[in-house]
PDB file of all heavy atoms in Angstrom:
ATOM      1  N   LEU A1523     117.518  13.075  46.266  1.00  0.00           N
ATOM      2  CA  LEU A1523     118.542  12.635  45.328  1.00  0.00           C
ATOM      3  C   LEU A1523     119.178  11.343  45.821  1.00  0.00           C
ATOM      4  O   LEU A1523     119.388  11.154  47.022  1.00  0.00           O
ATOM      5  CB  LEU A1523     119.616  13.715  45.181  1.00  0.00           C
ATOM      6  CG  LEU A1523     119.174  14.995  44.476  1.00  0.00           C
ATOM      7  CD1 LEU A1523     120.263  16.060  44.582  1.00  0.00           C
ATOM      8  CD2 LEU A1523     118.840  14.737  43.014  1.00  0.00           C
ATOM      9  N   LEU A1524     119.488  10.475  44.871  1.00  0.00           N
ATOM     10  CA  LEU A1524     120.179   9.234  45.198  1.00  0.00           C
ATOM     11  C   LEU A1524     121.675   9.424  45.003  1.00  0.00           C
ATOM     12  O   LEU A1524     122.115  10.479  44.551  1.00  0.00           O
ATOM     13  CB  LEU A1524     119.661   8.122  44.291  1.00  0.00           C
ATOM     14  CG  LEU A1524     118.253   7.647  44.648  1.00  0.00           C
ATOM     15  CD1 LEU A1524     117.629   6.900  43.489  1.00  0.00           C
ATOM     16  CD2 LEU A1524     118.285   6.768  45.888  1.00  0.00           C
ATOM     17  N   HIS A1525     122.433   8.399  45.367  1.00  0.00           N
ATOM     18  CA  HIS A1525     123.865   8.401  45.100  1.00  0.00           C
ATOM     19  C   HIS A1525     124.155   7.399  43.985  1.00  0.00           C
ATOM     20  O   HIS A1525     123.517   6.359  43.906  1.00  0.00           O
ATOM     21  CB  HIS A1525     124.649   8.013  46.357  1.00  0.00           C
ATOM     22  CG  HIS A1525     124.783   9.152  47.325  1.00  0.00           C
ATOM     23  ND1 HIS A1525     125.666   9.141  48.372  1.00  0.00           N
ATOM     24  CD2 HIS A1525     124.133  10.349  47.392  1.00  0.00           C
ATOM     25  CE1 HIS A1525     125.564  10.282  49.050  1.00  0.00           C
ATOM     26  NE2 HIS A1525     124.636  11.024  48.486  1.00  0.00           N
ATOM     27  N   THR A1526     125.115   7.751  43.132  1.00  0.00           N
ATOM     28  CA  THR A1526     125.507   6.823  42.071  1.00  0.00           C
ATOM     29  C   THR A1526     126.934   6.346  42.307  1.00  0.00           C
ATOM     30  O   THR A1526     127.764   7.072  42.870  1.00  0.00           O
ATOM     31  CB  THR A1526     125.424   7.469  40.678  1.00  0.00           C
ATOM     32  OG1 THR A1526     126.228   8.660  40.666  1.00  0.00           O
ATOM     33  CG2 THR A1526     124.007   7.832  40.323  1.00  0.00           C
ATOM     34  N   LEU A1527     127.190   5.114  41.866  1.00  0.00           N
ATOM     35  CA  LEU A1527     128.526   4.532  41.979  1.00  0.00           C
ATOM     36  C   LEU A1527     128.800   3.742  40.714  1.00  0.00           C
ATOM     37  O   LEU A1527     127.877   3.232  40.095  1.00  0.00           O
ATOM     38  CB  LEU A1527     128.610   3.558  43.151  1.00  0.00           C
ATOM     39  CG  LEU A1527     128.302   4.089  44.536  1.00  0.00           C
ATOM     40  CD1 LEU A1527     126.926   3.650  44.968  1.00  0.00           C
ATOM     41  CD2 LEU A1527     129.350   3.605  45.525  1.00  0.00           C
ATOM     42  N   ASN A1528     130.057   3.640  40.368  1.00  0.00           N
ATOM     43  CA  ASN A1528     130.384   2.690  39.323  1.00  0.00           C
ATOM     44  C   ASN A1528     131.829   2.255  39.440  1.00  0.00           C
ATOM     45  O   ASN A1528     132.635   2.877  40.137  1.00  0.00           O
ATOM     46  CB  ASN A1528     130.079   3.246  37.923  1.00  0.00           C
ATOM     47  CG  ASN A1528     131.019   4.341  37.504  1.00  0.00           C
ATOM     48  OD1 ASN A1528     132.238   4.166  37.547  1.00  0.00           O
ATOM     49  ND2 ASN A1528     130.477   5.466  37.098  1.00  0.00           N
ATOM     50  N   GLY A1529     132.110   1.162  38.744  1.00  0.00           N
ATOM     51  CA  GLY A1529     133.471   0.646  38.727  1.00  0.00           C
ATOM     52  C   GLY A1529     133.625  -0.310  37.571  1.00  0.00           C
ATOM     53  O   GLY A1529     132.661  -0.920  37.138  1.00  0.00           O
ATOM     54  N   SER A1530     134.839  -0.402  37.066  1.00  0.00           N
ATOM     55  CA  SER A1530     135.067  -1.369  36.006  1.00  0.00           C
ATOM     56  C   SER A1530     135.263  -2.733  36.644  1.00  0.00           C
ATOM     57  O   SER A1530     135.972  -2.856  37.634  1.00  0.00           O
ATOM     58  CB  SER A1530     136.309  -0.995  35.189  1.00  0.00           C
ATOM     59  OG  SER A1530     136.922   0.162  35.692  1.00  0.00           O
ATOM     60  N   GLY A1531     134.637  -3.686  36.031  1.00  0.00           N
ATOM     61  CA  GLY A1531     134.755  -5.013  36.644  1.00  0.00           C
ATOM     62  C   GLY A1531     134.973  -6.135  35.652  1.00  0.00           C
ATOM     63  O   GLY A1531     134.216  -7.051  35.667  1.00  0.00           O
ATOM     64  N   LEU A1532     135.983  -6.037  34.802  1.00  0.00           N
ATOM     65  CA  LEU A1532     137.103  -5.089  34.735  1.00  0.00           C
ATOM     66  C   LEU A1532     137.241  -4.533  33.324  1.00  0.00           C
ATOM     67  O   LEU A1532     136.432  -4.868  32.469  1.00  0.00           O
ATOM     68  CB  LEU A1532     138.435  -5.823  35.072  1.00  0.00           C
ATOM     69  CG  LEU A1532     138.484  -6.621  36.348  1.00  0.00           C
ATOM     70  CD1 LEU A1532     139.601  -7.639  36.297  1.00  0.00           C
ATOM     71  CD2 LEU A1532     138.722  -5.662  37.522  1.00  0.00           C
ATOM     72  N   ALA A1533     138.307  -3.769  33.109  1.00  0.00           N
ATOM     73  CA  ALA A1533     138.676  -3.389  31.749  1.00  0.00           C
ATOM     74  C   ALA A1533     139.215  -4.635  31.061  1.00  0.00           C
ATOM     75  O   ALA A1533     140.199  -5.224  31.495  1.00  0.00           O
ATOM     76  CB  ALA A1533     139.737  -2.294  31.776  1.00  0.00           C
ATOM     77  N   VAL A1534     138.540  -5.061  29.975  1.00  0.00           N
ATOM     78  CA  VAL A1534     138.836  -6.373  29.410  1.00  0.00           C
ATOM     79  C   VAL A1534     140.210  -6.407  28.737  1.00  0.00           C
ATOM     80  O   VAL A1534     140.994  -7.345  28.928  1.00  0.00           O
ATOM     81  CB  VAL A1534     137.734  -6.795  28.419  1.00  0.00           C
ATOM     82  CG1 VAL A1534     138.045  -8.155  27.819  1.00  0.00           C
ATOM     83  CG2 VAL A1534     136.385  -6.808  29.111  1.00  0.00           C
ATOM     84  N   GLY A1535     140.517  -5.379  27.970  1.00  0.00           N
ATOM     85  CA  GLY A1535     141.802  -5.350  27.263  1.00  0.00           C
ATOM     86  C   GLY A1535     142.978  -5.412  28.228  1.00  0.00           C
ATOM     87  O   GLY A1535     143.944  -6.160  28.014  1.00  0.00           O
ATOM     88  N   ARG A1536     142.892  -4.645  29.266  1.00  0.00           N
ATOM     89  CA  ARG A1536     143.991  -4.642  30.232  1.00  0.00           C
ATOM     90  C   ARG A1536     144.054  -5.962  31.001  1.00  0.00           C
ATOM     91  O   ARG A1536     145.121  -6.400  31.412  1.00  0.00           O
ATOM     92  CB  ARG A1536     143.845  -3.462  31.197  1.00  0.00           C
ATOM     93  CG  ARG A1536     144.128  -2.132  30.493  1.00  0.00           C
ATOM     94  CD  ARG A1536     144.190  -0.970  31.444  1.00  0.00           C
ATOM     95  NE  ARG A1536     144.471   0.266  30.711  1.00  0.00           N
ATOM     96  CZ  ARG A1536     144.634   1.465  31.276  1.00  0.00           C
ATOM     97  NH1 ARG A1536     144.533   1.588  32.600  1.00  0.00           N
ATOM     98  NH2 ARG A1536     144.885   2.523  30.550  1.00  0.00           N
ATOM     99  N   THR A1537     142.895  -6.592  31.191  1.00  0.00           N
ATOM    100  CA  THR A1537     142.908  -7.905  31.837  1.00  0.00           C
ATOM    101  C   THR A1537     143.621  -8.918  30.950  1.00  0.00           C
ATOM    102  O   THR A1537     144.396  -9.754  31.427  1.00  0.00           O
ATOM    103  CB  THR A1537     141.472  -8.373  32.128  1.00  0.00           C
ATOM    104  OG1 THR A1537     140.780  -7.344  32.841  1.00  0.00           O
ATOM    105  CG2 THR A1537     141.476  -9.639  32.967  1.00  0.00           C
TER     106      THR A1537
END
Side-chain angles (χ1 to χ4, degrees):
Chain A
L1523 291 171
L1524 287 162
H1525 281 194
T1526 56
L1527 301 103
N1528 71 53
S1530 1
L1532 308 160
V1534 179
R1536 289 188 180 182
T1537 308

